[in-house]
Amino acid sequence: MIENLTFHSRVDRLSAFFDTFELSASLEPARAGDIQARLFVVGAPEGPAESIILCLRGDVTPEPPFLVTATVDFESPQNPLMNALPDQVRVEVNDIPTLRDTTAAFVAEALGSRCGRSAALNRLCEVMVLLLLRSAIDRGAAQPGLLAGLSHPALHRTLVAMHDAPARAWNSEDLAAVAGMSRSHFMARFRDVVGTTPQAYLTDWRLTIARRKLSKGARVKAVARQVGFSSAAAFSRAYFRKFGDWPSFQGQGAI
């Protein structure tokens, strides 16, 4: 067993995604073929916001009236949490006081033209999306996947442990201990709920982080070490299997 496997019963299920992926918002209308999500603030003109709808994929437009429509980029093609969500997530703003107040500030900024408007919209939209994601996790999911895993009372601790420490040499016994389960029960339950094995999920998460680091100019050898691979060669092979190309940045070699 590795040392220091003490985890609190309540762990942060969202910070890893906000730390890894960048979120931005724009009031520019979505373009044809755009894969970015759209956020609708629903409410009667001149009235308060009633609900927030996040449409993640497809040409899904809820019925008006809308106070504000924004395009949200949370790196959905790479972000596994956004990919795990249903096509549409809706929350009534009065159900969550913090969301009600944040939405009111977002609408005021969107309809005004004060200095710093773009920065304010991005930050307020980030809080709104975070609150929507909290609500989606609390509601859970009927189908196996990441959202179902994050909603599970025990397995979410294992997912957070992998998200927060991807370079750690996790094995099935360690992960089962984090979940508070026997190894056999953990392995079966993880596959049933998340839809894959713990090691396969961990490898995918490591490679997802690695791709982000490479896109920002990190070198392959350094990234391989940072995300927990034993060598750059092993990392490159795994990367190729997942993405179909070799890891590189601006002409670097594969290792």
Side-chain angles (χ1 to χ4, degrees):
M1 295 287 290
I2 60 178
E3 298 179 357
N4 194 23
L5 281 177
T6 301
F7 290 83
H8 298 293
S9 58
R10 288 185 177 272
V11 294
D12 192 330
R13 290 172 280 186
L14 288 174
S15 284
F17 298 101
F18 282 88
D19 290 343
T20 302
F21 303 99
E22 297 175 1
L23 186 149
S24 63
S26 171
L27 299 182
E28 296 294 327
R31 293 169 293 185
D34 201 330
I35 60 174
Q36 293 176 348
R38 287 178 295 161
L39 185 143
F40 298 88
V41 180
V42 179
E46 309 298 329
E50 299 171 4
S51 60
I52 305 296
I53 304 175
L54 183 64
C55 296
L56 287 129
R57 60 192 67 87
D59 189 18
V60 180
T61 301
E63 294 183 3
F66 310 129
L67 294 173
V68 178
T69 302
T71 300
V72 178
D73 182 6
F74 199 17
E75 302 189 52
S76 295
Q78 291 81 37
N79 188 332
L81 179 56
M82 298 298 279
N83 293 336
L85 293 173
D87 292 348
Q88 186 178 114
V89 179
R90 180 175 186 140
V91 176
E92 304 303 314
V93 297
N94 287 328
D95 292 344
I96 308 173
T98 306
L99 180 60
R100 180 192 61 218
D101 297 340
T102 305
T103 302
F106 180 81
V107 171
E109 288 290 339
L111 299 181
S113 57
R114 303 193 65 181
C115 58
R117 176 173 180 259
S118 178
L121 288 172
N122 277 338
R123 285 159 177 76
L124 290 166
C125 185
E126 184 173 41
V127 176
M128 292 165 67
V129 170
L130 187 151
L131 294 171
L132 286 168
L133 292 173
R134 278 185 187 170
S135 177
I137 289 172
D138 288 344
R139 283 182 281 182
Q143 300 299 320
L146 175 58
L147 186 60
L150 290 172
S151 303
H152 191 276
L155 294 179
H156 78 270
R157 295 195 293 270
T158 297
L159 288 166
V160 171
M162 290 190 280
H163 293 159
D164 290 348
R168 183 172 289 194
W170 295 107
N171 59 43
S172 56
E173 288 80 7
D174 299 330
L175 295 170
V178 172
M181 298 178 177
S182 69
R183 180 186 179 281
S184 59
H185 183 207
F186 166 72
M187 294 295 288
R189 195 71 184 125
F190 193 98
R191 181 182 282 277
D192 288 344
V193 173
V194 183
T196 187
T197 66
Q199 288 300 328
Y201 181 85
L202 176 59
T203 298
D204 277 351
W205 177 245
R206 286 170 167 171
L207 293 170
T208 296
I209 296 173
R211 193 166 202 177
R212 294 281 295 118
K213 289 178 178 291
L214 291 170
S215 72
K216 293 180 178 295
R219 298 194 64 82
V220 172
K221 287 183 179 180
V223 169
R225 182 176 61 254
Q226 291 165 5
V227 299
F229 281 84
S230 59
S231 68
F235 165 66
S236 294
R237 290 192 295 270
Y239 190 98
F240 184 85
R241 285 194 296 269
K242 179 172 176 61
F243 298 117
D245 53 18
W246 297 103
S248 62
F249 180 78
Q250 293 183 351
Q252 304 182 44
I255 60 174

